[in-house]
Amino acid sequence: MSEDTLEDIHPDDMPEEQVLPLDAWHRAMGGRMVDFAGYKMPIQYAGEHLKHGGGIVAEHSWTREYAGLFDVSHMGQLLISGAGAEAALEALLPIDLSTLEVGMQRYSLLLNEDGGVLDDLMVSRWPDAFYLVVNGATKWDDIAHLREHLPYDVTLNHLEDRALLALQGPEAFAALDRHVEGEYPLSALVFMKFGHFTIGGVGMSISRSGYTGEDGFEISLPAADAEKIATLLCAEPEVEPIGLGARDSLRLEAGLPLYGHDLDPATDPVSARLLFGLAKSRRETGGWMGHATCAKMLAEGSPTKRVGLKVEGKMPAREGAIVFAGDTEIGRVTSGGFSPTLGYPIAMAYVLSDYAQKGTELEIEVRKKRLEAAVTPMPFVPTNYYRGE
C-alpha cells in the first residue's frame, strides 16, 4: 500500500526482481503498469473488452456499483507458528490474541520502541498458527523486525508462493458465491471472518474484508493458480479488473490510512486515531513494544490528530499541502484527491489537536492559493461492510 522504497533488507531475503504472479495477465487485460512497492503494478486498465470503459473514475464507480477485482499480491503473507507464538506476538502487537478465535481476523499495528508505526497489518488465527498480511513496501523490514524479536521456538514462514486477490463491491458476494465450495456456505462469513474454501479445485483462504469500504473478500491462493481464478472471476458480468488509482480513491473515501503517507515511524496510533488497533484490555496493562509512549498520549492527549477535510471548489489538495488556521500553519495534508462519489475534493491531514474538532474552518495552500476547507468526520462515504442479517 505504499510507494516508499524498500530499505534495510537482508540480501538473502530480498529477491533480485519482484514480479507479480499476474504480471502477464494484467498486461493482456490492458493494464497500464507503474512502479509500486517494488513491483510493476496496474494503475488502471484500458481496452474495448472492458465493461466499464476503462480509466480510474470508471473503475472507481464500477466498484461502488458492482464488483472490482484487485491484485494485491505485492503484500506480504506471513505465517507465525510455534508453542510460544501467541505470547511472542503480543509482545510486539497491541492486540489481545486471547479473544481472537479461529476463523477471526483483526486489524493491528507493528510499532517501534517509541510508539512509531512500522506497519499496519491484519492478523488471523488459523488452527495452528497466526496468519499476518503486511504492506508490500514494508514486508522485508517487517520480516527482519519480527525475526529479530521473535524467540527461537517461534517459526516465521514467508508465504512467497501465494497470491492475494481482493474482490470488492456490492455484487462481490453474488459473483464469488457461484464458484465457492466449502464446509460451510460463503454467506457464513461476516466482516472480519475467514474460512478455507475451494474454487475449481483450488484450495484458498477467503476473508470478508478489504480496503475500499465496500463489502468484499480477500482471497489468498497458490500463485500458480492466480491467473485461472482471476480469469474465472472477471468472466462474471459483475466483475472487472481494477487498478491502483481507483484503489487509492476508494480507500480515501473510506477514510482508511495508507502506509508511507498517512502512517510512518514518525506517527503514532493515538495521533492517527487508530485506537481500535490498540486492544482496550492492554492499553493499561502494556507488555507490548511502544506502550509507554502510547499510554502517555492516551492519558495526556496527542499534540496532533488525523482528520478528514472537505475542500471547497474543484481543485484537490495533494500530499504535502500545508494547512492553515488564519496565518498560522497547523498541519499538512497526507492524502488527498477528488472524490468521484461525492463530487468534490477531500483530504486527510494531521493538524494540531486544537483544530481537530468537526466543523473547524481551515485553509489549505495549493499552488500558492488558499483553498477553504472544513474538518469533517470519516469515513467520507459510508462503509457497506457486511455484518450479518
Side-chain angles (χ1 to χ4, degrees):
M1 298 181 202
S2 167
E3 295 176 348
D4 292 351
T5 56
L6 302 176
E7 298 177 351
D8 301 325
I9 299 169
H10 192 282
D12 293 336
D13 291 333
M14 177 64 183
E16 292 183 3
E17 181 179 354
Q18 299 184 104
V19 179
L20 292 173
L22 287 175
D23 182 86
W25 184 87
H26 291 308
R27 297 173 191 275
M29 292 293 288
R32 182 162 72 85
M33 310 299 280
V34 298
D35 292 322
F36 187 86
Y39 295 83
K40 291 287 187 181
M41 297 188 67
I43 191 169
Q44 65 183 76
Y45 294 85
E48 295 180 356
H49 62 287
L50 297 170
K51 297 182 280 287
H52 55 48
I56 292 174
V57 173
E59 293 177 12
H60 179 110
S61 299
W62 184 274
T63 306
R64 287 275 185 243
E65 295 179 27
Y66 303 105
L69 185 71
F70 302 80
D71 181 9
V72 289
S73 301
H74 64 297
M75 299 179 72
Q77 300 182 64
L78 314 178
L79 210 58
I80 312 293
S81 59
E86 181 171 316
L89 279 177
E90 284 195 338
L92 298 177
L93 306 176
I95 191 172
D96 184 358
L97 292 175
S98 68
T99 62
L100 186 68
E101 301 175 358
V102 173
M104 295 175 60
Q105 71 173 13
R106 195 168 293 164
Y107 177 85
S108 192
L109 299 153
L110 191 65
L111 307 176
N112 62 24
E113 293 283 4
D114 298 322
V117 180
L118 298 176
D119 201 3
D120 61 337
L121 49 89
M122 301 296 292
V123 185
S124 305
R125 185 189 288 272
W126 286 15
D128 55 358
F130 292 96
Y131 169 71
L132 277 61
V133 178
V134 301
N135 281 292
T138 59
K139 64 184 176 185
W140 301 105
D141 285 337
D142 290 355
I143 290 170
H145 181 83
L146 290 166
R147 284 179 175 165
E148 179 183 355
H149 295 285
L150 291 175
Y152 289 110
D153 59 348
V154 173
T155 301
L156 185 159
N157 287 317
H158 181 198
L159 307 180
E160 296 182 83
D161 59 347
R162 306 286 289 183
L164 191 64
L165 305 177
L167 185 65
Q168 301 284 294
E171 299 297 326
F173 172 80
L176 189 60
D177 192 46
R178 296 185 192 117
H179 301 283
V180 165
E181 296 180 356
E183 60 180 333
Y184 48 81
L186 187 66
S187 59
L189 294 187
V190 296
F191 183 57
M192 299 298 272
K193 299 277 189 177
F194 79 92
H196 297 286
F197 299 88
T198 62
I199 294 179
V202 178
M204 57 191 66
S205 172
I206 301 177
S207 66
R208 201 153 193 171
S209 57
Y211 194 52
T212 63
E214 294 291 339
D215 182 26
F217 303 86
E218 293 194 332
I219 305 164
S220 172
L221 72 165
D225 297 303
E227 183 171 338
K228 170 185 174 180
I229 300 304
T231 300
L232 182 71
L233 292 175
C234 283
E236 294 299 324
E238 305 93 339
V239 182
E240 284 279 66
I242 308 295
L244 292 171
R247 181 173 169 84
D248 190 54
S249 57
L250 288 160
R251 71 89 192 171
L252 178 58
E253 289 184 347
L256 298 173
L258 175 64
Y259 194 85
H261 300 262
D262 311 294
L263 299 173
D264 57 37
T267 59
D268 64 89
V270 182
S271 300
R273 291 182 161 177
L274 296 176
L275 296 186
F276 58 87
L278 308 179
K280 290 183 180 180
S281 61
R282 305 195 67 212
R283 293 178 195 175
E284 293 185 5
T285 59
W288 40 275
M289 188 173 290
H291 172 259
T293 299
C294 292
K296 182 177 181 181
M297 287 191 176
L298 285 167
E300 301 175 1
S302 58
T304 62
K305 291 183 179 179
R306 181 172 64 95
V307 298
L309 296 172
K310 176 184 177 181
V311 185
E312 295 298 323
K314 296 295 184 180
M315 184 182 296
R318 303 294 185 182
E319 180 179 359
I322 300 174
V323 183
F324 289 88
D327 293 330
T328 304
E329 180 180 333
I330 54 95
R332 287 181 180 268
V333 170
T334 52
S335 287
F338 190 84
S339 165
T341 304
L342 299 174
Y344 54 77
I346 56 176
M348 285 192 284
Y350 282 86
V351 301
L352 296 177
S353 294
D354 289 344
Y355 300 91
Q357 291 74 29
K358 175 184 175 181
T360 302
E361 296 182 355
L362 302 170
E363 291 181 320
I364 307 174
E365 187 171 277
V366 178
R367 298 178 184 174
K368 298 183 180 181
K369 296 182 179 179
R370 293 286 185 93
L371 306 180
E372 295 181 2
V375 176
T376 189
M378 294 186 287
F380 299 96
V381 174
T383 57
N384 293 306
Y385 304 130
Y386 177 74
R387 302 182 187 275
E389 299 296 339

